[in-house]
Amino acid sequence: ERFCSDTTRCSVVVKFGDPVAINCSTAATTTFRMGWEYSAGKATVNNSYAFWKIDKLEDWTLQPICYVYPDIGSPCIETTPDLVSVSALEDGPMEAGSTYRLKCDIYNVAPAHNLSVKWYRDNTTLYTDHITTYDVTPRNVTSSLTITPLRSDHRSLFRCKAELHLGPRGPELPPTAASAPFVATVLCKCPQQRSVFSHTNRDVTFDCSAEGNPDPEIKWIYKPAHNLKETTEGRQKIITVTAATSTNAGFYICVATNKVGNVTRTVTLVMRGMNTHSAEHFS
């Protein structure tokens, strides 16, 4: 049996298979909490000491740890995280308008109940998570953030920062550790819009453009005619009707497709005497 004070690191020599007991004591008059972290054996805790023992020691790697809280505002153990990282709980890229969760893993931090986790998108603070788990020995902590990404969030940087707020007896600036940024890949299907008007026997032009992630493929579906031509300029697919007549009246359908899905918009060309117009363009 070996007795140690609360500031002493103890080494115990034990014959394999023999029992061993260790007492951890403190001179603090206002103990908030004390005890043992251990993987085998059992512990007994009283007001000023914590007693750990094992009846048969057969694991040479066993390292029980005694912890003591002098008071809730000033923990006796403070461990800044070894690592902070952000990841997505769902695999693969995100789709605009859907809901996803990000996870912040904080490794080896103490005391956990003094920990706050701040979430950021680029330089904007999104959320602060106050950890409520009471534990004085270093442990791993996880915080999560639910987001509904927009198209504008593509390639945004999400990160989290762990802060230890140790009260009036702690440092003026809380110890912190931040994650590397998580780069959001947001898929979307987002065509653009423009209107075109013309008169009978005038040239009529329809153009369809779309932006998305990944870049969408664009195609027109329409009734062929001798005075109709389709061309491509950059991201635009353009239909030109030369000297439009009633035979060109009808539906012109633009389809934008990427791996997220497809969007279709229909333009109706209506011939009204001297007035020819196309309905709304694409959105």
Side-chain angles (χ1 to χ4, degrees), residues 24-210:
C24 177
S25 61
T26 177
T29 57
T30 56
T31 300
F32 166 66
R33 184 181 176 190
M34 67 182 303
W36 285 91
E37 285 285 332
Y38 54 92
S39 57
K42 58 184 180 180
T44 303
V45 180
N46 264 322
N47 291 334
S48 59
Y49 72 88
F51 190 77
W52 174 85
K53 70 176 183 177
I54 188 169
D55 295 332
K56 185 182 289 188
L57 183 62
E58 296 178 330
D59 181 0
W60 296 124
T61 64
L62 200 61
Q63 291 184 325
I65 301 173
C66 176
Y67 58 83
V68 179
Y69 260 122
D71 59 60
I72 192 170
S74 179
C76 62
I77 302 173
E78 175 256 307
T79 304
T80 304
D82 291 340
L83 175 68
V84 180
S85 66
V86 176
S87 59
L89 290 177
E90 295 82 6
D91 293 332
M94 303 175 184
E95 182 177 341
S98 298
T99 300
Y100 299 89
R101 283 196 304 161
L102 300 181
K103 180 180 66 165
C104 179
D105 288 309
I106 303 152
Y107 297 93
N108 198 37
V109 61
H113 73 271
N114 288 95
L115 181 67
S116 292
V117 182
K118 290 186 176 180
W119 283 91
Y120 299 88
R121 181 186 59 227
D122 297 326
N123 294 321
T124 302
T125 303
L126 299 177
Y127 171 62
T128 300
D129 188 7
H130 299 284
I131 306 302
T132 57
T133 301
Y134 278 83
D135 204 333
V136 296
T137 56
R139 58 168 295 167
N140 298 337
V141 176
T142 298
S143 174
S144 63
L145 176 72
T146 300
I147 61 171
T148 303
L150 305 175
R151 171 188 169 191
S152 58
D153 290 323
H154 181 54
R155 302 202 64 78
S156 288
L157 303 179
F158 289 86
R159 57 190 174 90
C160 63
K161 181 170 69 173
E163 296 183 350
L164 277 172
H165 296 273
L166 303 174
R169 299 185 188 178
E172 183 177 352
L173 296 177
T176 63
S179 70
F182 173 85
V183 183
T185 300
V186 182
L187 305 180
C188 65
K189 41 187 182 183
C190 324
Q192 295 180 331
Q193 173 171 305
R194 191 172 59 198
S195 297
V196 178
F197 299 88
S198 184
H199 297 284
T200 302
N201 295 322
R202 295 282 186 90
D203 294 346
V204 179
T205 301
F206 304 109
D207 62 270
C208 179
S209 63

Side-chain angles (χ1 to χ4, degrees), residues 2-24:
R2 179 74 178 272
F3 293 86
C4 310
S5 72
D6 58 359
T7 59
T8 303
R9 295 179 61 88
C10 297
S11 297
V12 180
V13 179
V14 183
K15 182 180 178 182
F16 184 84
D18 277 2
V20 62
I22 304 175
N23 184 64
C24 177

